[in-house]
Amino acid sequence: MDIEAEVTDDRRVLIRPAPGSEPGSVILSSTTGRPLLRVASPGASVEVRGLSFCFKTAQSAATDLKQRCIWVTEGTMLLRDCKVSSDAGIGVCVLRNGIVRCEGCDLSDCGFVGVASAQGGRAEITKGCRITRNRHFGVLATDAGSCTMIRDSELCDNGTYGVGVGAGAKVHAVATKLERNQVGIVSKGTGSHVHLNNCDVSANVRMGLGVREGATADAVDSKMQRNQYGLCVSNSGSLVTLTGCELSENITHGVGASEGGAIEALSCQMRQNQVGVVSKGTGSTVVLRKCKASENGRIGVGIREGGVAKATGCEMRNN
């Protein structure tokens, strides 16, 4: 079915398959270049259940990836058990005062990003959502005021980043897996912040978590394992705080600070990496308290080129 719907006034709308429909049998598709569903009124509330939204072009150009399948600029939208895909760009885009909540959805195979929030938009991704095989980002929060909350979901096999966080944006992830992306999470720019709680950021090709150019992050009870690098923090003003985390079996290092970046770790384990911890370059600082940097292939804690490391009550064995 080729269809386009736009909600531009204050109303409550429920969109769902007719009773008795087979699961996944209702597909809203388009090739026209306009969103399949847009919400653009502050008082509008739209709930969609069990539908598939698919924007598919005959030939999508790698340089033109802005097509929005679902677009919310004002009001709220709830997507429940839906499938969303746009091979020419963005699955779900939320801007300004818009709010989108996705529950149990599949947001995959988009040409640019599965879910994007910008200009103050807010996205919530929860209850078993899967965000996979998007060309560049699984989730992207771009700028100041933009915020994305992720809970009990998976972001896997995305072409570049599982999650990207731009200057001033915030992402909070709880009980979420980020696996087999090029980079699990990147937080970049002043005011950018990532919070991880009980997350598994593992088996990413290059890096589990990267924090740079004045960004910050904190992780609690989370794992970063079997990446090329577990955690990298670079540039002055960038800071990561770790509590009760495990950074193990990463190919190069578990934790690394460079070019003025800073890491503070409490009760963490850095095990079975080539290097457990490294502080490299003038102004780079790693502070370890009650941590274990043991059983690493080469070095437990390494300090290079003017970096600083401080350890209190730590264990370094069998490196």
Side-chain angles (χ1 to χ4, degrees):
M1 175 172 66
D2 289 313
I3 190 168
E4 180 177 304
E6 184 168 357
V7 180
T8 57
D9 56 0
D10 295 353
R11 64 175 68 187
R12 296 178 63 87
V13 177
L14 172 62
I15 305 172
R16 64 183 181 185
S21 299
E22 291 291 326
S25 63
V26 180
I27 301 173
L28 282 69
S29 64
S30 176
T31 59
T32 64
R34 290 173 54 82
L36 280 162
L37 178 60
R38 182 182 178 197
V39 181
S41 179
S45 176
V46 176
E47 179 178 345
V48 185
R49 301 179 189 170
L51 270 62
S52 294
F53 295 85
C54 180
F55 185 93
K56 191 168 182 63
T57 59
Q59 186 175 8
S60 58
T63 57
D64 184 17
L65 299 173
K66 300 298 178 64
Q67 170 60 40
R68 304 169 178 95
C69 192
I70 294 175
W71 188 17
V72 180
T73 55
E74 302 277 355
T76 63
M77 177 180 289
L78 170 61
L79 297 172
R80 183 174 288 161
D81 299 321
C82 292
K83 184 174 182 178
V84 181
S85 176
S86 172
D87 72 346
I90 303 169
V92 176
C93 182
V94 55
L95 304 178
R96 298 195 285 275
N97 297 313
I99 300 173
V100 170
R101 180 179 174 91
C102 303
E103 297 181 358
C105 294
D106 186 329
L107 303 127
S108 302
D109 301 305
C110 293
F112 181 53
V113 56
V115 179
S117 59
Q119 302 173 22
R122 292 167 51 197
E124 299 178 26
I125 299 161
T126 186
K127 295 187 178 180
C129 286
R130 286 182 52 79
I131 302 177
T132 66
R133 301 185 306 276
N134 299 291
R135 188 182 298 177
H136 291 294
F137 295 88
V139 167
L140 175 62
T142 63
D143 50 21
S146 304
C147 179
T148 298
M149 172 70 190
I150 310 168
R151 182 185 293 271
D152 298 321
S153 296
E154 295 184 10
L155 294 89
C156 304
D157 301 299
N158 296 288
T160 309
Y161 303 101
V163 174
V165 191
K170 316 292 183 187
V171 169
H172 295 245
V174 178
T176 290
K177 289 185 178 181
L178 299 104
E179 297 182 337
R180 301 185 304 277
N181 310 285
Q182 283 290 314
V183 175
I185 308 170
V186 64
S187 183
K188 177 181 176 182
T190 303
S192 168
H193 184 74
V194 171
H195 170 75
L196 304 176
N197 191 321
N198 191 30
C199 291
D200 190 348
V201 189
S202 297
N204 296 286
V205 175
R206 291 167 50 205
M207 190 185 308
L209 171 61
V211 178
R212 50 190 294 200
E213 298 179 20
T216 60
D218 67 278
V220 179
D221 297 332
S222 295
K223 296 179 180 180
M224 300 174 203
Q225 303 179 121
R226 303 184 305 281
N227 309 285
Q228 179 76 29
Y229 302 93
L231 162 64
C232 297
V233 185
S234 58
N235 309 120
S236 178
S238 302
L239 170 66
V240 173
T241 302
L242 305 172
T243 304
C245 294
E246 182 173 350
L247 300 100
S248 63
E249 301 178 51
N250 296 288
I251 295 171
T252 304
H253 65 245
V255 172
S258 65
E259 300 177 19
I263 298 168
E264 298 176 0
L266 171 65
S267 301
C268 295
Q269 295 191 55
M270 299 82 170
R271 301 183 306 107
Q272 298 179 350
N273 312 282
Q274 278 296 302
V275 176
V277 179
V278 63
S279 179
K280 177 183 175 182
T282 302
S284 301
T285 305
V286 175
V287 177
L288 307 175
R289 291 181 293 149
K290 299 180 180 179
C291 293
K292 294 181 179 180
S294 300
E295 303 174 27
N296 296 287
R298 294 173 51 213
I299 300 169
V301 176
I303 304 168
R304 300 175 54 187
E305 301 171 20
V308 174
K310 302 176 182 179
T312 304
C314 296
E315 178 182 295
M316 303 173 202
R317 294 181 179 177
N318 302 323
N319 300 292

